[in-house]
């Protein structure tokens, strides 16, 4: 089947500008920013002449180097008017021509981000950092007041010597709960936990040496390194080995949101997109579900035994009704938090205290349906990974439940699964 396309040709010169930028760069940026199934090619002539009488040549005796430029844009016919609308205002010196084009086949390769992107283009510059002598309590307070859950440790020459993550604070620093959950507790309890860490220093718990990357490395190399070393963030260094930024999974995902074309629109235009990945490709189906009548005691046991942070609540037909996370538990028992605090801390296996008989009774008599969160954002298995990334970043979600057309729970995707499967072999 022949596909209807248009070929847009622009005949201009090296001296042509748009808002101070070479016209060729302005047109390429414009076409790329449309995120449509269009390709743009720029060729430079070796000689020519213009309406003004100017001659373009490389001959040294004439000294004219304003060579002619030809910009050739191939675009599906249905998108042509959209492209022309933006081009007309940019071409102040040149000729625009339009041709019909019959295309036999159009195939596009799905890449999560352009290959020319470097780490410095994506990283968060001037990151917060600590030194090996920083008090652990100050590290914890920094992370509690931030959106990130890890911080680089640098020496006096600003060279990274380690990283302290939330996991380091829990495994080696005595933090009884993850930071997000700790922030939900009352001020006195929080101060009590932090005071226990006051005498310790960052050097005692940091992971060292730091896994880091140079700012002039390709972004794809950084993603490969994050996957290979199972780290969520990388300190970034300049040419002298000093810290210049931090690259996190969220930085990578935001780049995908910004750069990814509308692949669904490509398919609608009969463009064959290869290596397209959907939610079904990265879905974790081994997630845990309970009924709304399940006692809370059992829910906590499932979370504890399986080292997970949430379970799904489903009805008899498997339809998703809600989610229960450890944060939901703490919020539900906000007015009587002692028992649940001890239980959640026990789950972290750092504070071994007995739960009172009254609290045990509350836990046994409360059901999952009472505690679950029902205001959920869900997705389907056919959603593109790029769309799932956009949804999770926009809603600040770390995990996203997946349901079928009837609302039956199919599993969960996470930021980790997005990175591990979504980017693997994307090349």
């Amino acid at each position: 089947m022949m596909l209807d396309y248009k070929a847009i040709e622009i005949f201009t010169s090296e001296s042509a500008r748009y808002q101070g930028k070479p016209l060729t760069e302005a047109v390429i940026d414009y076409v790329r920013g449309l995120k449509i199934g269009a390709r743009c090619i720029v060729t430079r002539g070796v000689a020519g002449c213009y309406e003004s009488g100017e001659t373009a040549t490389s001959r040294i005796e004439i000294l004219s180097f304003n060579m002619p430029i030809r910009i050739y844009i191939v675009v599906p016919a249905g998108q042509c008017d959209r492209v022309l609308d933006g081009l007309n205002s940019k071409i102040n010196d040149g000729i625009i021509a339009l041709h019909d084009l019959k295309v036999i086949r159009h195939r596009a390769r799905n890449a999560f981000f352009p290959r020319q992107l470097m780490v410095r283009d994506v990283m968060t510059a001037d990151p917060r950092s600590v030194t090996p002598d920083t008090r652990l309590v100050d590290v914890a307070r920094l992370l509690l007041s931030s959106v990130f859950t890890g911080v680089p440790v640098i020496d006096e020459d600003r060279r990274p010597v380690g990283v302290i993550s939330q996991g380091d604070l829990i495994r080696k620093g005595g933090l009884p709960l993850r930071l997000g959950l700790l922030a939900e507790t009352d001020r006195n309890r929080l101060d009590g936990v932090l005071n226990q860490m006051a005498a310790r220093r960052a050097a005692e718990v940091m992971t060292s040496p730091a896994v880091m990357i140079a700012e002039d490395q390709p972004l794809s190399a950084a993603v490969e390194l994050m996957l290979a070393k199972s780290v969520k963030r990388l300190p970034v260094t300049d040419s002298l080995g000093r810290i210049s930024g931090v690259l996190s999974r969220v930085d990578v995902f935001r780049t995908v949101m910004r750069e990814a074309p509308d692949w669904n629109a490509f398919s609608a235009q009969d463009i064959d997109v290869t290596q397209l990945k959907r939610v079904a490709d990265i879905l974790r189906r081994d997630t845990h579900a309970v009924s709304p009548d399940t006692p809370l005691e059992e829910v906590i046991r499932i979370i504890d035994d399986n080292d997970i942070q949430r379970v799904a609540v489903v009805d008899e037909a498997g339809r998703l009704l809600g989610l229960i996370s450890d944060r939901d538990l703490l919020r539900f028992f906000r007015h009587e938090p002692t028992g649940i605090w001890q239980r959640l801390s026990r789950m972290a296996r750092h504070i071994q205290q007995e739960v009172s008989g009254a609290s045990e009774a509350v836990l046994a008599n409360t059901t999952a349906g009472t505690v679950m969160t029902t205001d959920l954002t869900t997705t389907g298995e056919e959603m593109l990974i790029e769309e799932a990334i956009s949804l999770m970043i926009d809603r600040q979600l770390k995990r996203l439940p997946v349901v079928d057309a009837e609302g039956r729970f199919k599993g969960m995707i996470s930021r980790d699964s997005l990175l591990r499967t979504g980017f693997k072999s994307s090349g």
Side-chain angles (χ1 to χ4, degrees):
M1 182 181 70
M2 301 291 278
L3 305 175
D4 291 327
Y5 275 62
K6 296 286 186 181
I8 302 170
E9 285 187 282
I10 302 169
F11 300 93
T12 184
S13 68
E14 288 180 313
S15 64
R17 294 287 187 274
Y18 174 71
Q19 293 184 345
K21 179 190 292 188
L23 182 62
T24 51
E25 292 181 21
V27 171
I28 291 172
D29 288 347
Y30 166 65
V31 174
R32 176 170 169 265
L34 292 174
K35 300 186 177 185
I36 60 176
R39 294 204 178 194
C40 182
I41 303 101
V42 175
T43 54
R44 178 177 183 268
V46 297
C49 66
Y50 300 101
E51 299 91 328
S52 63
E54 177 185 355
T55 297
T57 176
S58 58
R59 290 165 53 195
I60 189 69
E61 64 270 23
I62 297 179
L63 293 176
S64 171
F65 298 96
N66 184 28
M67 294 301 172
I69 295 290
R70 177 173 177 255
I71 305 173
Y72 195 83
I73 304 170
V74 179
V75 58
Q79 297 285 341
C80 184
D81 289 344
R82 182 181 173 195
V83 177
L84 286 173
D85 283 347
L87 281 178
N88 284 329
S89 62
K90 294 178 175 57
I91 313 301
N92 296 314
D93 179 11
I95 298 169
I96 302 177
L98 184 66
H99 311 283
D100 291 331
L101 198 66
K102 290 297 182 183
V103 171
I104 299 172
R105 188 172 190 182
H106 185 169
R107 301 189 71 177
R109 181 170 169 272
N110 176 12
F112 280 94
F113 40 75
R115 280 172 284 186
Q116 79 273 11
L117 279 181
M118 298 288 119
V119 169
R120 61 172 169 266
D121 300 323
V122 177
M123 70 182 189
T124 298
D126 301 321
R128 301 291 299 271
S129 60
V130 299
T131 73
D133 289 331
T134 301
R135 295 189 313 160
L136 209 54
V137 62
D138 294 329
V139 176
R141 290 192 186 280
L142 171 62
L143 295 180
L144 280 167
S145 63
S146 307
V147 295
F148 46 86
T149 57
V151 62
V153 184
I154 61 173
D155 65 13
E156 61 273 15
D157 295 321
R158 296 191 58 75
R159 292 184 170 86
V161 295
V163 170
I164 294 182
S165 68
Q166 172 177 255
D168 292 319
L169 291 175
I170 292 174
R171 288 189 300 273
K172 296 178 281 186
L175 200 70
L177 299 174
R178 58 189 175 87
L179 293 163
L181 204 56
L182 197 62
E184 300 284 340
T185 63
D186 63 86
R187 183 59 183 267
N188 290 336
R189 194 181 303 278
L190 175 61
D191 288 343
V193 169
L194 296 179
N195 287 338
Q196 294 178 24
M197 308 166 70
R200 305 185 67 183
R201 303 288 169 172
E204 298 178 50
V205 304
M206 69 180 184
T207 295
S208 181
V211 179
M212 51 192 173
I213 193 163
E215 61 185 17
D216 60 354
Q217 289 294 300
L219 179 59
S220 56
V223 173
E224 290 294 333
L225 184 60
M226 293 170 81
L227 291 172
K229 300 296 184 181
S230 297
V231 295
K232 297 179 180 177
R233 63 194 63 80
L234 297 169
V236 181
T237 56
D238 62 16
S239 59
L240 299 177
R242 299 171 305 198
I243 191 163
S244 58
V246 165
L247 181 73
S248 70
R249 295 188 306 189
V250 173
D251 293 322
V252 176
F253 293 150
R254 286 187 177 133
T255 301
V256 174
M257 291 169 58
R258 186 179 68 246
E259 302 290 344
D262 183 355
W263 297 115
N264 285 325
F266 277 49
S267 299
Q269 296 163 5
D270 293 324
I271 299 173
D272 182 10
V273 181
T274 59
Q275 298 182 347
L276 205 59
K277 290 184 180 295
R278 299 184 183 276
V279 164
D281 299 322
I282 63 171
L283 176 61
R284 282 200 63 174
R285 300 180 190 275
D286 58 340
T287 48
H288 298 270
V290 299
S291 81
D293 297 327
T294 303
L296 217 50
E297 184 76 14
E298 175 66 9
V299 173
I300 293 175
R301 186 195 64 76
I302 292 173
I303 291 176
D304 188 17
D305 289 351
N306 296 283
D307 194 23
I308 56 178
Q309 294 178 6
R310 57 186 53 72
V311 296
V313 183
V314 300
D315 65 14
E316 293 179 351
R319 289 186 289 266
L320 181 65
L321 301 176
L323 291 176
I324 298 179
S325 69
D326 47 10
R327 182 172 302 199
D328 294 320
L329 296 172
L330 201 59
R331 285 174 177 167
F332 185 80
F333 289 97
R334 186 185 302 276
H335 300 297
E336 192 179 356
T338 301
I340 199 66
W341 163 265
Q342 292 172 345
R343 177 56 59 94
L344 293 175
S345 297
R346 262 188 3 180
M347 287 163 55
R349 297 180 175 83
H350 288 281
I351 297 177
Q352 298 292 332
Q353 300 180 44
E354 292 301 322
V355 179
S356 70
S359 296
E360 286 283 11
V362 172
L363 291 172
N365 295 326
T366 305
T367 62
T370 309
V371 179
M372 68 181 182
T373 295
T374 58
D375 182 18
L376 301 179
T377 299
T378 63
T379 185
E381 294 181 81
E382 290 304 309
M383 176 178 272
L384 294 174
I385 287 181
E386 291 93 325
E387 295 173 326
I389 289 173
S390 178
L391 184 62
M392 293 176 71
I393 297 300
D394 281 348
R395 306 283 175 88
Q396 298 184 333
L397 303 172
K398 291 186 176 179
R399 288 167 184 79
L400 186 60
V402 181
V403 298
D404 65 13
E406 283 72 41
R408 290 188 292 260
F409 180 60
K410 308 302 291 185
M412 202 89 75
I413 61 173
S414 66
R415 291 182 181 178
D416 186 68
S417 63
L418 287 170
L419 195 71
R420 290 198 167 279
T421 311
F423 292 83
K424 213 166 186 177
S425 74
S426 64

